[in-house]
Amino acid sequence: MLPTWPKRAPADTLTPVADKKPTTYWDYIKLEQLTALQSGLADSDEEISNDEVLFITVHQIFELWFKLILRELRAARDLFRSPHVAEQELSGAVRKLKRATTILRRCVSHFEVIETLTTRDYLSFRDKLFPASGFQSRQLRQIEIVLGLRDEERIPFGSEGGYVAALKEHDGSASVSMKKVQETVAEGESLREAIDEWLYRTPIDGVGPDASNATEALDAFLERFLENYNSESDIARDIAISHARNQDEVRRIDELYADERASVEAFFTPSEEKGGARRRRIRAAALFVETYRELPLLAWPREVLDSLVEMEQQLTVFRQRHARMVERAIGRRAGTGGTAGVAYLDKTALKYRVFKDLWAIRTLQIRREAASDLDNPDFYSFLQPE
Amino acid sequence: MLPTWPKRAPADTLTPVADKKPTTYWDYIKLEQLTALQSGLADSDEEISNDEVLFITVHQIFELWFKLILRELRAARDLFRSPHVAEQELSGAVRKLKRATTILRRCVSHFEVIETLTTRDYLSFRDKLFPASGFQSRQLRQIEIVLGLRDEERIPFGSEGGYVAALKEHDGSASVSMKKVQETVAEGESLREAIDEWLYRTPIDGVGPDASNATEALDAFLERFLENYNSESDIARDIAISHARNQDEVRRIDELYADERASVEAFFTPSEEKGGARRRRIRAAALFVETYRELPLLAWPREVLDSLVEMEQQLTVFRQRHARMVERAIGRRAGTGGTAGVAYLDKTALKYRVFKDLWAIRTLQIRREAASDLDNPDFYSFLQPE
Amino acid sequence: MLPTWPKRAPADTLTPVADKKPTTYWDYIKLEQLTALQSGLADSDEEISNDEVLFITVHQIFELWFKLILRELRAARDLFRSPHVAEQELSGAVRKLKRATTILRRCVSHFEVIETLTTRDYLSFRDKLFPASGFQSRQLRQIEIVLGLRDEERIPFGSEGGYVAALKEHDGSASVSMKKVQETVAEGESLREAIDEWLYRTPIDGVGPDASNATEALDAFLERFLENYNSESDIARDIAISHARNQDEVRRIDELYADERASVEAFFTPSEEKGGARRRRIRAAALFVETYRELPLLAWPREVLDSLVEMEQQLTVFRQRHARMVERAIGRRAGTGGTAGVAYLDKTALKYRVFKDLWAIRTLQIRREAASDLDNPDFYSFLQPE
Amino acid sequence: MLPTWPKRAPADTLTPVADKKPTTYWDYIKLEQLTALQSGLADSDEEISNDEVLFITVHQIFELWFKLILRELRAARDLFRSPHVAEQELSGAVRKLKRATTILRRCVSHFEVIETLTTRDYLSFRDKLFPASGFQSRQLRQIEIVLGLRDEERIPFGSEGGYVAALKEHDGSASVSMKKVQETVAEGESLREAIDEWLYRTPIDGVGPDASNATEALDAFLERFLENYNSESDIARDIAISHARNQDEVRRIDELYADERASVEAFFTPSEEKGGARRRRIRAAALFVETYRELPLLAWPREVLDSLVEMEQQLTVFRQRHARMVERAIGRRAGTGGTAGVAYLDKTALKYRVFKDLWAIRTLQIRREAASDLDNPDFYSFLQPE
């Protein structure tokens, strides 16, 4: 049954209290408090240069965007955490993820504003910042945690120990930033994990994970897919070989395709420590949704998966653009936080990847025409017959 | 019943013919032919300045984008023209419209490239262009025709008569551009008209237009909506009045809200020459879809409506940005085509609007909590019970 | 003589005081204070929806950008206010103006973030805002004042009286916003006026305004320019006429070009109430700089003029894009501040123009080859012979 | 002496020949030829899908932009190749470089258009492309050659041998693409080399390379700079050490700064095989221009250096964004050209760097206040005393 429609709020609950103070723009957005925060280490921003005010302000704007991103990601995570995700919530989840992506795109473009600072402009106030560093942005850490980046996947940074230690006050006590990061860790299940759970429950060819024939249905789907994949792969290999110039090249191509086939097969038979049968089902479900996305019940799930990939791609674009800005602004000298600077940023950009299974699926998709028919497509249809 | 899944192409239909010539990048995109087309009125682009080559090339790029937009819009139009639009086609239709919007966004940003030309750079080759004009871009005209801009909505231009006459060769004969525009007109039903038909068929609270109780269901929906709208409007008016500083302001506010209520009512009771009962149903359907968008069967239709508005908004942004570029490049002097230039462009930007009903809906929506429950929400659900 | 190079700061003034507290990222950008300001009318942002937090935050970000723009414009204004502007300061002035433009470009793109709010999302908190309005953004008003928009050029808004009155608190007292706007008015000479002064002082063909032959040199320059302009105009007219299809068209073209010539002449002979001889010199100087921009001493002044036009263009783009966002979000209903909404925004976009003379110059420039030689080009050269 | 002003073209050379055919938009931009080139391997684009037409068209648009970039870079190169570059040409050179950057920014944003293709859309025509590859884009190779990327700096690709071999037709003959690349190589001196020559000639503290005291002046400048650099570096190190938590950290910081000092010193004393005294002068000149950029004669040279860095940065951003698009579209499978795909693209992005000295300068700049006064600042002034 459909959830009941949200009840109409009785009009009187909205009737304005006569003596409510009329809203002003400046109170509503707290304008004066907001514009009093750009003084850095000085008492007033009148005492510091336009360049430094710009530097501070752009970082504040990044943090405001991060706050919005964090809220959307938490909302998406909470939605997918629930044991049953109503289908009509999915378009809303997609909007949350797309909003995060839209904001990340803005962030990418903000580096151009910092780049109106020349190296020398920046140097004129750089020493003051020591040993602060953008690495101390708690919200970027929180975003990574909510997404599901694991501690062991992080690249160690400077001499200081991990990213949590970097958030200590200088006297060794926990900063607010540190506490908020720890609270976020304590929130438990990440968006990645919640999505995994949700994928795990997805019925494959009409059969859910708790059905008695769950394994058979899953195996049948994967077997047929692999057969189709291999047949597609053979075609591509044969084309490649037909253009080979010599036997060496034939051998090289043959190996390349054999390797790809082996890695696809391995992807769907993960070892126990890589998650075993549970991981197998999750990966198969993601592939299933991508493959049969036109079915009404799968259209929005597919948008969810695509939005996750789009968002994570944009996060990578953001990290790489960040590295480019730092390189242009100050070159490859040591960062104020004692970091390796540019090289570190470039490394994290490529390594910090959360939705690895979804990215892997892109490597092994096949043409629509090459996919087998389902046994139970009607399972995924609307109530109204077309 | 669901349409059968597209049949798998037998692998052998794809097996490469052994002697097929291997594809090269340069053949595939016809690189040399393409890069030989930037010479304008000269024999070779070596004879003209970088500035003129840039001017020509940016216009060519606009036209290539327009070609893609036109293809997507035609594909969307053809889809909605069919007497029954399968629900699972809608996500594809949305992708077409969003693709057009994505491309329009690129176009907006290309004016910055032309703006690397100074006024003086442009003047050095301007006289050659006479009497050519961007107004002669047939593809922009075709886009407008496919969308559904009516001839009587166009703003007359120069002394030449209409936009079709502007596409004559100088000897009075029909140019290829002119013929293609006329062919597009001859393609008949526009995207706007096709969308209207599709909205007209949308079941309202489970009742389609051919049902015996079609009118009752429609009237009931609109009556409840107007009641809710008026009640929301009363709240807003009362808040406004509670902040009024004097009786004059009270009267002004009262009139403002009364006017809005009257215009909403008028919108849903169009006169016969404005479309009468048919138009009433179309408008009600658009409102219905927007209001109950969370219902599974309405989620994608709502995305369709939103994508149309988003696309038309971007077209307006494009037109206004175009006016800004022209104003910056050459000021407000007469255009090469003898046109009023900037002022004309600014006027068309605001006046050329195709999906007027969809824009109007934005003015009269109400909060979700203020909308009534449906009698038949299950009509719009999935086959699988949640 | 060149100003002496800024003295080296003795190293010891920079030696860190041993007990200075090490800087942290969170203290430096005041992270916790900043992220505590997004609760609107509620006590905490936990109590309001993501949609409302987004709405508040994007407006805050606009205001932070406006703050930066305002600082740059004030700095540029102060520079041009001084009775002598050192030539080597001009590249810095250009950087300030270009920075403002870069930021305005970001602002334009932020409307896409607000557009992730649907109409209905917005309506769910809209009534709370009443009667606040974006029209109450003091910083946008301050930007206009610093640029030099005159009170009499403003378009009246709502029933409230002018833009200053809109910044009263509801009890009629002056808000901080109102006071800051009034202070900005009291700062006197605007950027426009300062630029006018600076242009007025520009030597024309080597002759400054206080030279005994100032008038003769100015007249000679303008006379030669008008002769060249008319000759260019004749060529363009003759080409146009050669393509005319009938006598009516010939007449129309003839009139068009005669009108343009008359308006160019009128532009350089302003009446006394339009500024008379002083205005004539200012306009001629802007034209002079544009025409002979390759001369070393004029290269940076030309960049200044171009940056002003570029910045004002971007401000217009921003205003038009703002109108498009509002139209899409809520349609053409009355704004929360009782304003005419979209139509008002579109009108201000085209009418609020500050650097009118610089825009006019674009309409009357001629090809480089059509400009006369100077009598004293060496006046504008480097000390080192080439 | 200043070069004479370009002579006025006599008006009659421009008088239109009476029988010149009036220009039309479609002829001028060759619209019909242009829009007939999107059929790929088919006879007409009616036979292929919108997805494939989009794929082809976006690549064509990239190539059109590349053509413009190539023209601007060649023009800049030719300018700097001349044995004497007139100072008033420099603002034009900056405009060329900034135009290339503006276009590269557009290119970055075009990947979003390709991303409207899903993996599956792309797979439906992918096999046809084999073995073509974007690696076969001759114009991107030409851009790299004109900029000055050396053959030995390229990363080998696939089994095919170098980038020139990849441009052979399948029968082993030279394609037009290959010939054009070879012609570009044959054009000789690259932009990098021409800039080096120009920097070499730059007078340092008023002393050119051929003066009898050239070495003394150069040595004096560098000695003073290194002294200032070391003193700045000491300050930064002392601040860092004052925040160290233990002796290990003190030692680590000490080493870090000692290393930086050593590498700065090494940078200015290149070995003979790294260019010896000539390279030393080039690097010193770049540093000199950056350091004393406010001097009138150095203002535009500094803009040249900054524009080169900005342009190369944007090229890197383009390459990294390219890698992100490929990864999203098809994952990490083998490319159609048999390439390692994404990983290869990411590697070239970071490794293909042409203006290495200019990038290095960013790492060693010091605050303006920390630079010594010049002995001969007046050398760089305008003729007119301020």
Side-chain angles (χ1 to χ4, degrees), chain C residues 184-204:
Chain C
T184 307
V185 170
E187 285 166 20
E189 203 184 25
S190 66
L191 178 58
R192 175 178 51 74
E193 291 163 321
I195 292 284
D196 277 355
E197 280 305 312
W198 172 72
L199 282 171
Y200 182 79
R201 292 191 308 263
T202 300
I204 290 183

mmCIF file of all heavy atoms in Angstrom, chain C residues 184-204:
data_model
loop_
_atom_site.group_PDB
_atom_site.id
_atom_site.type_symbol
_atom_site.label_atom_id
_atom_site.label_comp_id
_atom_site.label_asym_id
_atom_site.label_seq_id
_atom_site.Cartn_x
_atom_site.Cartn_y
_atom_site.Cartn_z
ATOM 1 N N THR C 184 27.980 55.059 3.204
ATOM 2 C CA THR C 184 28.594 54.893 1.886
ATOM 3 C C THR C 184 28.277 56.083 0.993
ATOM 4 O O THR C 184 29.140 56.576 0.263
ATOM 5 C CB THR C 184 28.104 53.586 1.239
ATOM 6 O OG1 THR C 184 28.332 52.526 2.172
ATOM 7 C CG2 THR C 184 28.856 53.288 -0.040
ATOM 8 N N VAL C 185 27.031 56.541 1.078
ATOM 9 C CA VAL C 185 26.678 57.760 0.334
ATOM 10 C C VAL C 185 27.597 58.901 0.773
ATOM 11 O O VAL C 185 28.120 59.668 -0.046
ATOM 12 C CB VAL C 185 25.200 58.136 0.564
ATOM 13 C CG1 VAL C 185 24.904 59.523 -0.013
ATOM 14 C CG2 VAL C 185 24.274 57.092 -0.050
ATOM 15 N N ALA C 186 27.827 58.976 2.096
ATOM 16 C CA ALA C 186 28.627 60.079 2.641
ATOM 17 C C ALA C 186 30.101 59.985 2.243
ATOM 18 O O ALA C 186 30.847 60.955 2.402
ATOM 19 C CB ALA C 186 28.496 60.113 4.160
ATOM 20 N N GLU C 187 30.516 58.834 1.761
ATOM 21 C CA GLU C 187 31.915 58.722 1.340
ATOM 22 C C GLU C 187 32.217 59.595 0.117
ATOM 23 O O GLU C 187 33.367 59.783 -0.258
ATOM 24 C CB GLU C 187 32.279 57.261 1.020
ATOM 25 C CG GLU C 187 32.464 56.406 2.270
ATOM 26 C CD GLU C 187 32.477 54.919 1.950
ATOM 27 O OE1 GLU C 187 32.725 54.568 0.778
ATOM 28 O OE2 GLU C 187 32.214 54.117 2.860
ATOM 29 N N GLY C 188 31.174 60.091 -0.506
ATOM 30 C CA GLY C 188 31.364 61.067 -1.587
ATOM 31 C C GLY C 188 31.757 60.450 -2.914
ATOM 32 O O GLY C 188 31.303 59.355 -3.248
ATOM 33 N N GLU C 189 32.581 61.165 -3.599
ATOM 34 C CA GLU C 189 32.977 60.846 -4.978
ATOM 35 C C GLU C 189 32.986 59.345 -5.290
ATOM 36 O O GLU C 189 33.662 58.549 -4.632
ATOM 37 C CB GLU C 189 34.378 61.437 -5.234
ATOM 38 C CG GLU C 189 34.652 61.659 -6.705
ATOM 39 C CD GLU C 189 36.086 62.158 -6.946
ATOM 40 O OE1 GLU C 189 36.953 61.880 -6.098
ATOM 41 O OE2 GLU C 189 36.321 62.805 -7.968
ATOM 42 N N SER C 190 32.250 58.994 -6.287
ATOM 43 C CA SER C 190 32.131 57.583 -6.679
ATOM 44 C C SER C 190 33.260 57.184 -7.618
ATOM 45 O O SER C 190 34.014 58.030 -8.095
ATOM 46 C CB SER C 190 30.795 57.370 -7.390
ATOM 47 O OG SER C 190 30.814 58.079 -8.614
ATOM 48 N N LEU C 191 33.342 55.895 -7.902
ATOM 49 C CA LEU C 191 34.335 55.416 -8.859
ATOM 50 C C LEU C 191 34.127 56.087 -10.224
ATOM 51 O O LEU C 191 35.078 56.501 -10.882
ATOM 52 C CB LEU C 191 34.234 53.887 -8.986
ATOM 53 C CG LEU C 191 35.181 53.226 -9.978
ATOM 54 C CD1 LEU C 191 36.646 53.520 -9.665
ATOM 55 C CD2 LEU C 191 34.968 51.714 -10.006
ATOM 56 N N ARG C 192 32.874 56.182 -10.630
ATOM 57 C CA ARG C 192 32.578 56.851 -11.902
ATOM 58 C C ARG C 192 33.127 58.272 -11.928
ATOM 59 O O ARG C 192 33.789 58.686 -12.887
ATOM 60 C CB ARG C 192 31.056 56.890 -12.130
ATOM 61 C CG ARG C 192 30.615 57.659 -13.358
ATOM 62 C CD ARG C 192 29.100 57.634 -13.581
ATOM 63 N NE ARG C 192 28.319 58.018 -12.420
ATOM 64 C CZ ARG C 192 28.193 59.268 -11.953
ATOM 65 N NH1 ARG C 192 28.798 60.280 -12.551
ATOM 66 N NH2 ARG C 192 27.460 59.505 -10.887
ATOM 67 N N GLU C 193 32.877 59.007 -10.854
ATOM 68 C CA GLU C 193 33.342 60.389 -10.813
ATOM 69 C C GLU C 193 34.868 60.464 -10.770
ATOM 70 O O GLU C 193 35.471 61.331 -11.410
ATOM 71 C CB GLU C 193 32.725 61.097 -9.602
ATOM 72 C CG GLU C 193 31.215 61.305 -9.777
ATOM 73 C CD GLU C 193 30.491 61.608 -8.471
ATOM 74 O OE1 GLU C 193 30.832 60.996 -7.424
ATOM 75 O OE2 GLU C 193 29.575 62.443 -8.498
ATOM 76 N N ALA C 194 35.472 59.547 -10.032
ATOM 77 C CA ALA C 194 36.936 59.553 -9.941
ATOM 78 C C ALA C 194 37.550 59.224 -11.300
ATOM 79 O O ALA C 194 38.556 59.825 -11.701
ATOM 80 C CB ALA C 194 37.392 58.561 -8.877
ATOM 81 N N ILE C 195 36.951 58.287 -12.001
ATOM 82 C CA ILE C 195 37.437 57.941 -13.342
ATOM 83 C C ILE C 195 37.281 59.142 -14.274
ATOM 84 O O ILE C 195 38.164 59.454 -15.074
ATOM 85 C CB ILE C 195 36.672 56.715 -13.890
ATOM 86 C CG1 ILE C 195 37.029 55.448 -13.103
ATOM 87 C CG2 ILE C 195 36.910 56.528 -15.389
ATOM 88 C CD1 ILE C 195 38.386 54.855 -13.447
ATOM 89 N N ASP C 196 36.157 59.825 -14.141
ATOM 90 C CA ASP C 196 35.955 61.029 -14.960
ATOM 91 C C ASP C 196 37.084 62.040 -14.737
ATOM 92 O O ASP C 196 37.638 62.592 -15.695
ATOM 93 C CB ASP C 196 34.601 61.680 -14.609
ATOM 94 C CG ASP C 196 33.442 61.033 -15.340
ATOM 95 O OD1 ASP C 196 33.687 60.144 -16.190
ATOM 96 O OD2 ASP C 196 32.279 61.394 -15.073
ATOM 97 N N GLU C 197 37.389 62.271 -13.463
ATOM 98 C CA GLU C 197 38.476 63.204 -13.147
ATOM 99 C C GLU C 197 39.788 62.786 -13.790
ATOM 100 O O GLU C 197 40.545 63.591 -14.322
ATOM 101 C CB GLU C 197 38.690 63.284 -11.621
ATOM 102 C CG GLU C 197 37.708 64.158 -10.896
ATOM 103 C CD GLU C 197 37.680 65.567 -11.462
ATOM 104 O OE1 GLU C 197 38.766 66.155 -11.657
ATOM 105 O OE2 GLU C 197 36.565 66.064 -11.753
ATOM 106 N N TRP C 198 40.045 61.494 -13.672
ATOM 107 C CA TRP C 198 41.305 60.946 -14.185
ATOM 108 C C TRP C 198 41.356 61.065 -15.717
ATOM 109 O O TRP C 198 42.370 61.445 -16.303
ATOM 110 C CB TRP C 198 41.407 59.491 -13.705
ATOM 111 C CG TRP C 198 42.510 58.667 -14.258
ATOM 112 C CD1 TRP C 198 43.845 58.764 -13.969
ATOM 113 C CD2 TRP C 198 42.365 57.566 -15.159
ATOM 114 N NE1 TRP C 198 44.536 57.785 -14.640
ATOM 115 C CE2 TRP C 198 43.661 57.044 -15.378
ATOM 116 C CE3 TRP C 198 41.273 56.969 -15.803
ATOM 117 C CZ2 TRP C 198 43.884 55.948 -16.219
ATOM 118 C CZ3 TRP C 198 41.492 55.888 -16.624
ATOM 119 C CH2 TRP C 198 42.781 55.378 -16.844
ATOM 120 N N LEU C 199 40.235 60.797 -16.356
ATOM 121 C CA LEU C 199 40.180 60.940 -17.815
ATOM 122 C C LEU C 199 40.358 62.407 -18.195
ATOM 123 O O LEU C 199 41.046 62.737 -19.166
ATOM 124 C CB LEU C 199 38.852 60.408 -18.364
ATOM 125 C CG LEU C 199 38.736 58.889 -18.474
ATOM 126 C CD1 LEU C 199 37.301 58.484 -18.823
ATOM 127 C CD2 LEU C 199 39.701 58.340 -19.534
ATOM 128 N N TYR C 200 39.730 63.261 -17.411
ATOM 129 C CA TYR C 200 39.815 64.692 -17.712
ATOM 130 C C TYR C 200 41.273 65.144 -17.767
ATOM 131 O O TYR C 200 41.655 65.962 -18.591
ATOM 132 C CB TYR C 200 39.037 65.490 -16.657
ATOM 133 C CG TYR C 200 39.034 66.966 -16.921
ATOM 134 C CD1 TYR C 200 38.172 67.502 -17.877
ATOM 135 C CD2 TYR C 200 39.900 67.829 -16.249
ATOM 136 C CE1 TYR C 200 38.169 68.852 -18.149
ATOM 137 C CE2 TYR C 200 39.911 69.181 -16.508
ATOM 138 C CZ TYR C 200 39.044 69.701 -17.465
ATOM 139 O OH TYR C 200 39.057 71.045 -17.741
ATOM 140 N N ARG C 201 42.095 64.591 -16.857
ATOM 141 C CA ARG C 201 43.499 65.003 -16.773
ATOM 142 C C ARG C 201 44.389 64.372 -17.846
ATOM 143 O O ARG C 201 45.547 64.759 -18.018
ATOM 144 C CB ARG C 201 44.077 64.619 -15.403
ATOM 145 C CG ARG C 201 43.505 65.397 -14.249
ATOM 146 C CD ARG C 201 44.310 65.146 -12.979
ATOM 147 N NE ARG C 201 44.475 63.735 -12.678
ATOM 148 C CZ ARG C 201 43.713 63.050 -11.832
ATOM 149 N NH1 ARG C 201 42.709 63.642 -11.190
ATOM 150 N NH2 ARG C 201 43.940 61.790 -11.611
ATOM 151 N N THR C 202 43.875 63.358 -18.548
ATOM 152 C CA THR C 202 44.696 62.649 -19.531
ATOM 153 C C THR C 202 45.158 63.577 -20.649
ATOM 154 O O THR C 202 44.339 64.236 -21.291
ATOM 155 C CB THR C 202 43.861 61.495 -20.144
ATOM 156 O OG1 THR C 202 43.480 60.616 -19.094
ATOM 157 C CG2 THR C 202 44.665 60.739 -21.195
ATOM 158 N N PRO C 203 46.473 63.630 -20.898
ATOM 159 C CA PRO C 203 46.951 64.466 -21.996
ATOM 160 C C PRO C 203 46.485 63.902 -23.334
ATOM 161 O O PRO C 203 46.608 62.699 -23.586
ATOM 162 C CB PRO C 203 48.482 64.368 -21.887
ATOM 163 C CG PRO C 203 48.765 63.779 -20.543
ATOM 164 C CD PRO C 203 47.566 62.976 -20.165
ATOM 165 N N ILE C 204 45.949 64.769 -24.163
ATOM 166 C CA ILE C 204 45.482 64.355 -25.479
ATOM 167 C C ILE C 204 46.491 64.828 -26.516
ATOM 168 O O ILE C 204 46.754 66.027 -26.617
ATOM 169 C CB ILE C 204 44.061 64.896 -25.736
ATOM 170 C CG1 ILE C 204 43.100 64.148 -24.812
ATOM 171 C CG2 ILE C 204 43.671 64.746 -27.197
ATOM 172 C CD1 ILE C 204 41.665 64.492 -24.976
#
